[in-house]
């Protein structure tokens, strides 16, 4: 009975002490939810809005998918955790609390519950007032009450995750300063490690496709589980978000997601409780509550600092500077941590062995990746070990429906990898020289040797080994070798049809086709440019006319001085005429003229021609079959060198991607003579107003 009375009295006392914290939070949440809703609704009330408009306005201010609310809730969890459990940093307060006739576990739970109440009550009241504020303006549905209840529950779990994580950091430390640092480390250490690893792969493992795919596909899911705060911020990145239904105010959280949030906060709360149980009273005022962790934490942070420094030093292309940066920042990291621990500048070199361990660990991680000790970039299987190979230029922008249909069975593969799977062939004699060329340039790049004069092409390459292993790589290969290989591959008609999906498409499969015909690539189509000839006349032509007029004036005057005087007079007269004209122009017309002048000056090239504009021709439904037949004929007959140098000027949107901005882009140039004939026929049959304008 004594314990029960003591617990209830202690809980009431804690709530009274935290009244200020509850009051501050109440003000914040009232401003965040009901006050914001009132401002939005009152602002639109003067426009005679409908009930649906009012409801939409209210739903944009409250409920689900308010990222700013989530951020404030997480910050509230940090502040509450630091304030409620700050007593563990004072040995006097710890001795006082621990002298009570109550178990530590019970004391912890009372404190924990009191801190939670300071958030839960003000936030729940603010949520209810937000709904009532909408009802005052006629924006109300009973479903909104249920939605706000679920949203409040979700945000309570967000708070508990942040609150529990903060308490765990507090229990590991003995000072408020180191508690804040511990929160920052818990939140940012693993994401920083992930980003550094990604930077190492990008900079030093240049041929990787599988590692890049691993990072691309798993970054969100990995970061989500790095801390309780990240879990709340990135909760949308869970699997199955596409099946989550939408409510009035945003996405409904799934039951599984709410259970995960509950598991996260319970896990961190139990961990904090376990540390509190083992924590000694005399550690209050120390940097860390558990001295055995000092060296481990110091080394982990110093190694991270050294790895970042080594990455920066690698840009200097000197092993000396890489070693120097690793040693320097290992030492600095350890010294800074030692100063935080002891708060005495004279003791920063107390544990020199930690500097040595940090430097050695950083070097063992950095140099094998930096200098490809394990031969990742130079990997080249023997031709006898390979069953099939595949190649795809990084410039290709085609959709392969047969390849992308494999997504369900190849969940861990990117689109590029699935396309390589689709393009596999057994022509090893043709493709193996590409691999040799790629490895050659990879080795040179690793040695920072960029003295080669050969032009290179970026390609994706796949080795399918006879033992079943699949290896995907990204290479820079010799352009000459690449063109020779592609010419041989495309000699096979079946492979050519496979490589260019448009060759096997029916007009019904294509939703839209648009040809972007720029002046420098399709000068014969410039005459269909849907702008007046005065605007489309090139600056070079104007210059020629001016020079001709000047020469004529010189010849008539007989002297150079007279020609200059005549030119000056002409300019003066032109200026006067222009001034009179401008005087009669409206202000809007003047601004329009200036804007047009600036625009044409912007797209003018150094040689005085407008080469960055063109006509955009959409292929009508009635001409799709004819256009496809002409384009196929060109693709099938042109050598690959001609196709390779063509720009990707033909936009093709499939029926499966209609009403989106996703287009495949196919090559098109003057060499596509059959295609150009159809384009010109389409342009002739359409009025200038029906043709689009394109600027590169």
């Amino acid at each position: 009975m004594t314990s029960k009375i003591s617990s209830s009295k202690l809980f009431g006392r804690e709530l009274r002490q935290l009244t200020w914290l509850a009051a501050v939070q109440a003000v914040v949440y009232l401003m965040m939810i009901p006050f914001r809703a009132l401002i939005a609704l009152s602002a639109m009330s003067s426009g005679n809005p409908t009930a649906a408009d009012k409801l939409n306005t209210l739903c944009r201010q409250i409920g689900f998918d308010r990222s700013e609310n989530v951020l404030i809730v997480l910050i509230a969890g940090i502040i509450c955790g630091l304030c409620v459990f700050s007593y563990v940093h004072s040995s006097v307060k710890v001795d006082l609390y621990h002298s009570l006739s109550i178990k530590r576990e019970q004391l912890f739970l009372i404190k924990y519950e009191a801190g939670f109440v300071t958030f839960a009550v003000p936030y729940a009241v603010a949520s209810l007032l937000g709904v009532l504020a909408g009802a005052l303006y006629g924006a109300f549905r009973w479903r909104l009450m249920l939605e706000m209840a679920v949203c409040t529950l979700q945000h309570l779990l967000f708070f508990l995750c942040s609150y529990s994580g903060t308490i765990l950091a507090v229990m590991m430390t003995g000072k408020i300063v180191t508690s804040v640092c511990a929160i920052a480390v818990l939140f940012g250490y693993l994401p920083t490690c992930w980003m550094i690893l990604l930077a190492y792969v990008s900079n030093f493992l240049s041929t990787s496709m599988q590692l890049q795919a691993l990072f691309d596909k798993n970054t969100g899911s990995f970061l989500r589980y790095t801390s309780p705060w990240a879990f709340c911020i990135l909760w949308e990145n869970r699997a199955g978000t596409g099946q989550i239904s939408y409510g009035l105010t945003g996405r409904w959280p799934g039951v599984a997601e709410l259970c995960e949030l509950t598991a996260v906060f319970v896990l961190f709360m139990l961990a904090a409780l376990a540390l509190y149980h083992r924590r000694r009273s005399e550690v209050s005022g120390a940097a860390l509550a558990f001295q055995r962790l000092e060296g481990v934490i110091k080394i982990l942070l110093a190694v991270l600092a050294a790895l970042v420094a080594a990455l920066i030093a690698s840009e200097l292309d000197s092993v000396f500077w890489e070693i120097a940066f690793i040693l320097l920042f290992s030492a600095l990291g350890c010294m800074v941590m030692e100063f935080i621990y002891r708060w005495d500048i004279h003791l920063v070199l107390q544990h020199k062995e930690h500097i040595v361990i940090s430097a050695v660990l950083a070097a063992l991680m950095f140099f094998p990746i930096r200098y490809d000790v394990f031969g990742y970039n130079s990997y080249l299987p023997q031709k006898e070990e390979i069953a099939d190979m595949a190649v795809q230029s990084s410039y290709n922008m085609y959709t392969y429906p047969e390849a992308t249909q494999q997504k369900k069975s190849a969940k861990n593969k990117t689109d590029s990898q699935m396309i390589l799977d689709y393009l596999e062939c057994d022509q090893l004699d043709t493709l193996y020289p590409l691999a040799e060329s790629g490895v050659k340039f990879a080795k040179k790049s690793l040695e920072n040797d960029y003295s080669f004069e050969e032009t290179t092409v970026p390609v994706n390459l796949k080795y399918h080994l006879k033992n079943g292993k699949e290896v995907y790589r990204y290479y820079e290969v010799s352009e000459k070798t690449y063109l020779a290989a592609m010419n041989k591959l495309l000699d096979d008609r079946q492979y050519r049809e496979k490589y260019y999906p448009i060759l096997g498409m029916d007009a019904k499969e294509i939703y839209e086709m648009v040809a972007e015909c720029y002046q420098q690539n399709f000068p014969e189509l410039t005459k269909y440019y849907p702008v007046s000839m005065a605007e489309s006349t090139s600056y070079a032509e104007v210059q020629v006319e001016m020079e001709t007029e000047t020469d004529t004036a010189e010849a008539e005057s007989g002297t150079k001085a007279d020609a200059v005087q005549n030119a000056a007079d002409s300019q003066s007269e032109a200026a006067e005429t222009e001034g009179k004209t401008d005087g009669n122009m409206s202000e809007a017309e003047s601004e329009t003229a200036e804007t047009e002048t600036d625009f044409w000056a912007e797209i003018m090239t150094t040689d005085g021609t407008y080469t960055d504009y063109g006509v955009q021709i959409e292929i009508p439904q009635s001409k799709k079959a004819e256009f496809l037949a002409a384009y196929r004929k060109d693709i099938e007959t042109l050598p690959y060198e001609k196709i390779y140098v063509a720009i990707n000027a033909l936009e093709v949107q499939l029926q499966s991607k209609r009403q989106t901005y996703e287009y495949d882009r196919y090559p098109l140039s003057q060499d596509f003579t059959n295609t150009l004939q159809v384009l010109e026929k389409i342009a002739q049959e359409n009025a200038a107003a029906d043709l689009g304008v394109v600027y590169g």
Side-chain angles (χ1 to χ4, degrees), residues 87 90-100 281-282 284:
Y87 77 94
S90 170
S91 56
V92 175
K93 291 182 180 180
V94 169
D95 291 338
L96 176 63
Y97 277 111
H98 289 179
S99 65
L100 300 175
S281 301
E282 57 269 23
S284 300

Side-chain angles (χ1 to χ4, degrees), residues 519 529-539 541-542 592-593 595-597 599-601 603-604 609-610 613 693 695:
Q519 186 194 32
Y529 186 69
V531 179
S532 67
M533 289 303 295
E535 289 179 337
S536 62
T537 302
S538 71
Y539 179 71
E541 293 172 352
V542 175
T592 304
T595 304
E596 289 179 355
T597 304
F599 170 76
W600 289 105
I603 67 170
M604 187 189 300
T609 58
Y610 296 118
Y613 73 94
V693 182
Y695 304 107

Side-chain angles (χ1 to χ4, degrees), residues 436-465:
E436 292 175 323
S437 175
V439 171
K440 169 189 170 184
F441 285 112
K443 288 180 178 178
K444 287 190 174 185
S445 299
L446 189 65
E447 298 165 358
N448 296 314
D449 178 10
Y450 300 101
S451 59
F452 48 85
E453 297 180 356
E454 288 185 75
T455 304
T456 60
V457 180
V459 299
N460 299 323
L461 203 67
K462 177 188 177 181
Y463 309 106
H464 190 172
L465 305 184

